[in-house]
Amino acid sequence: VGPVPVPALSQMVEAETIRHRICSPTSVAMVLGALGAPAAAAEIAALAYCAEHDRYGVWPAGVWAASRRGALGYVAALDSWECARELLARGLPLVVSEAHGPGGLPGSPLPETAGHLLVLRGLRAGRVLVNEPAAATADAVPMEYDLEAFGRAWLGHGGIAYVLVAPTPLPPGPNRPR
């Protein structure tokens, strides 16, 4: 399924003070670009920042930040690949939350993580196609992971995904402005 075309952005090219903390806003910015509403990672980070928790990765805040750029969305907890396949088949990339210990996700730029967000943009022959915001440069952002290893890191970590869609204008009606 896929790959869904998603622009590549690296969080590692942002300001030193935030670059290791903005995987969620960077992933949201990539999906916004795929939806036709391009945004800079730092812009989305400023919108998504949760001062109460001093975090950029509070899941509802990421969806809210996307809404400020015109996208609609929600946070879902998926328990299998079935829903992800269906959403990808509809052209919707997903921002997903994964965690893995040392060696748990071969090829990841992060040797281990208690929580990291990235864009799932396709599935192909036992491989997961992603945009990895922790890659050093935008050119290195499009990556592939082993399906089973990624499934353990994502579905085994709760299967959290942000599902974002571009809003469809409502047709004119009796109670809507023209």
Side-chain angles (χ1 to χ4, degrees), residues 9-55:
L9 299 174
S10 170
Q11 72 189 70
M12 304 313 279
V13 301
E14 298 298 331
E16 178 67 35
T17 55
I18 63 171
R19 74 174 58 152
H20 295 286
R21 304 180 64 203
I22 62 166
C23 56
S24 174
T26 304
S27 295
V28 168
M30 286 191 269
V31 171
L32 285 171
L35 296 176
E43 172 193 354
I44 299 302
L47 290 169
Y49 180 70
C50 178
E52 179 180 347
H53 298 289
D54 186 30
R55 292 189 180 262

Side-chain angles (χ1 to χ4, degrees), residues 61-88:
V63 173
W64 182 87
S67 78
R68 303 298 84 199
R69 300 290 290 158
L72 303 174
Y74 58 94
V75 177
L78 308 179
D79 62 0
S80 73
W81 285 104
E82 184 178 331
C83 188
R85 286 181 205 281
E86 185 174 321
L87 291 165
L88 289 166

Side-chain angles (χ1 to χ4, degrees), residues 132-154:
E132 174 58 79
T137 65
D139 288 343
V141 164
M143 297 180 71
E144 295 184 14
Y145 291 126
D146 174 76
L147 180 73
E148 285 188 32
F150 191 82
R152 286 189 298 274
W154 173 45

